[in-house]
Amino acid sequence: MAEPILRIRNLHARVGETEILRGVNLDVYPGQLHAIMGPNGSGKSTLAAVLAGREDYEVTEGEVLFDGKNLLEMDPEERAREGLFLAFQYPVEIPGVSTATFLKTALNELRKHRGQEPLDAMEFMNLMRERAALVKIDPTFFSRSVNEGFSGGEKKRNEIFQLAMLEPRLAILDETDSGLDIDALKIVADGVNALRSPARAFLVITHYQRLLNYIVPDVVHVLYRGRIIKTGPKELALELEAKGYEWVTETDEVAL
Amino acid sequence: MSEHVDILDQLTASDYEYKYGFESQIEEEVVPPGLNEETIRLISEKKGEPEWMLQWRLQAFRYWQTMKEPHWANVRYTPIDYQAISYYAAPKRKTQPRSLDEVDPELRRTFEKLGIPLHEQEVLAGVAVDAVLDSVSVATTFREKLQSLGIIFCSMSEAIREYPDLVRKYLGSVVPPNDNFFAALNSAVFSDGSFCYVPPGVRCPIELSTYFRINARNTGQFERTLIIADEGAYVSYLEGCTAPMRDENQLHAAVVELVALAGAEIKYSTVQNWYPGDREGRGGIYNFVTKRGICLGESSKISWTQVETGSAITWKYPSVILKGDNSVGEFYSVAVTNHRQQADTGTKMTHIGRNTRSRIVSKGISAGYSQNSYRGLVRVNPSADGARNFSQCDSLLIGDKCGAHTFPYIEVHNPTAIVEHEATTSKIGEDILFYCNQRGIDTETAVALIINGYAREVLSKLPMEFAVEAQKLLAISLEGSVG
């Protein structure tokens, strides 16, 4: 089997005095889509934030390799340039910066990192139009400030649009389904499915199984109290839906 | 949470690298510190002024003695000792230079360090540069071309000698010597400045430009500028400023007067980049300026555009008196403060004529521990039927130790007037910066991106080559805010 895109070993992280991740282990291989599920407060979003390099979290132990490189040593922008993308649970608004300008800057930073020439205005516009269609984003959004005045659903679609533009090696979706109605959920799922490829991996963090009806995972993990306590095939998500998290967490208490 | 704050501290703490912090070694003639009638007589004599000018100065000085320094602005500074300032400094030279070749080579090098190679500017940029180093104009270009159109563009000293009728008619007509404390001081001791007159129906074909530069230690700089656009004339004037690094605070109290007759238009653009002091707030320029224009004739227009990034303290309200019917006043401003800088700036639009219109777009950017205030007055007099004003005042905060303040005053004495005011405040917090980082954009680039987007509406009002310079300047000023 190929080398994993992401290898997490015994990852511990805390905010202030509170330890949130308590020994996470995970291997994600090219082409795979892993779902991370778990009850509120289990550490799902913390895992996403730590991988993206958010400074509020202190890693106290463990190792993360991204395509074999030490991820934890990199600045957030370096991680992004190496191909790590986070679709935010709460995308921020950036006043005065159009989506087009923002994405052009981001894409050209990534291209520079890869030793490629920046895209010219024409190539860039064509790429934007093509990728926007994937998530049914209207081209009038391009000239609007990033996320400013967008509805919750528009913001989430914009995250997937950015994912499509930046073509990451590893895409982490942090509760992208939260706050979406069923139509928006389908659009987002169609976008993600179109972007799945043998060279790319996804880490989909979700509280509900609902999203996984549309984005079918290769592997499902249950994160609980900062540890992955159960791993299984896609059917695990359905089982969790039917039986609730207590079904695994109770077993876990015994195992602990 | 403490790490949030730490990051923003780092971002705003790195030293401001003032690119223009050098001192040119030109021999200067400096009058000893102190201010009394003798000082004024000495200045007037050194400049070879006629008696009426001396009397005008002395009158202003007498007003000034009765006035008190204003303290209503939202700024704090140590008191200024007006007797410790030297009121005149002029580069020594034997004769008046006839061409650029005759200009002191050291002076030429100073301009080159500033990126103003005069000869190149003549040819490439099409800009006539009236370069003012300290107090005396040393080089004026494009004279002949302008003269052939009847346009007068020269130093104020020269205008007093050569065009006394124009000067006597308009000097002090917009900003009277007793207008305010700093205007009175300027009227008494002004050293030099620029004078421009555009005759009826003439459209000035080039952007007129002056680079002011404060050079001598402890020398207050008191520029006096007067621009007159006669009926149907058009002129665009650019003022750009840089100054060398200093420990002492330096007082700068300029006066700019604009007069637009019927159907005339004046565009006045400023990029102000004086030394703002170090990160602890030591040193830096005190910039107490009175800028005002009058739309004297029907359908005239005056437009102020300013990009303010420098000075320790800025006290400045470029204003328009809309006297002529259907006249238009505009004010576009970006004011950046970082570290310990303080700015209290804005505009006054006074509507007197019928169907007069004014537009105010103010963008304040505060970083570090700085304080940035917008202060504006829109006054509609009883005579101003159908007057309209639109004001947009936006504030952007970088970090959580700086302050943004808005003081809009609106006085409407005519029921047919329509006055609109919009204001927003936004903040570049760690969340936004992290979001940009996560897309591969480093923090410095992210801030530049946000600032340029935010200031776009104002930058687009600047002449092209100036807009590029201004955009660079914004990035440079905030290099200090984003390590």
Side-chain angles (χ1 to χ4, degrees), chain B residues 59-97:
Chain B
Q59 182 63 46
F61 178 65
R62 285 168 204 138
Y63 285 133
W64 182 72
Q65 285 178 306
T66 67
M67 296 169 108
K68 281 202 163 63
E69 194 183 301
H71 288 287
W72 43 261
N74 187 27
V75 295
R76 304 269 173 279
Y77 56 93
T78 48
I80 299 164
D81 181 356
Y82 292 92
Q83 296 304 331
I85 295 170
S86 170
Y87 287 85
Y88 185 79
K92 271 188 193 164
R93 60 170 177 272
K94 290 181 185 103
T95 53
Q96 196 80 14

Side-chain angles (χ1 to χ4, degrees), chain A residues 54 56 81 84 86 96 159 162, chain B residues 4 431 435 438-440 453:
Chain A
R54 189 140 206 159
D56 316 59
R81 290 170 194 166
L84 185 145
L86 172 64
E159 292 295 288
Q162 293 182 39
Chain B
H4 281 251
D431 278 356
Y435 189 85
Q438 212 300 306
R439 298 299 185 253

Side-chain angles (χ1 to χ4, degrees), chain A residues 34-92:
Chain A
H34 288 228
I36 304 223
M37 303 184 70
N40 288 329
S42 57
K44 303 190 297 290
S45 287
T46 298
L47 179 62
V50 167
L51 293 176
R54 189 140 206 159
E55 301 244 355
D56 316 59
Y57 301 91
E58 187 192 352
V59 174
T60 51
E61 213 182 322
E63 182 183 51
V64 180
L65 295 179
F66 181 47
D67 275 326
K69 294 177 190 159
N70 185 346
L71 185 76
L72 299 177
E73 275 187 350
M74 300 179 202
D75 287 337
E77 59 268 30
E78 277 180 81
R79 300 180 193 203
R81 290 170 194 166
E82 287 286 331
L84 185 145
F85 180 95
L86 172 64
F88 284 71
Q89 184 178 2
Y90 304 107
V92 299

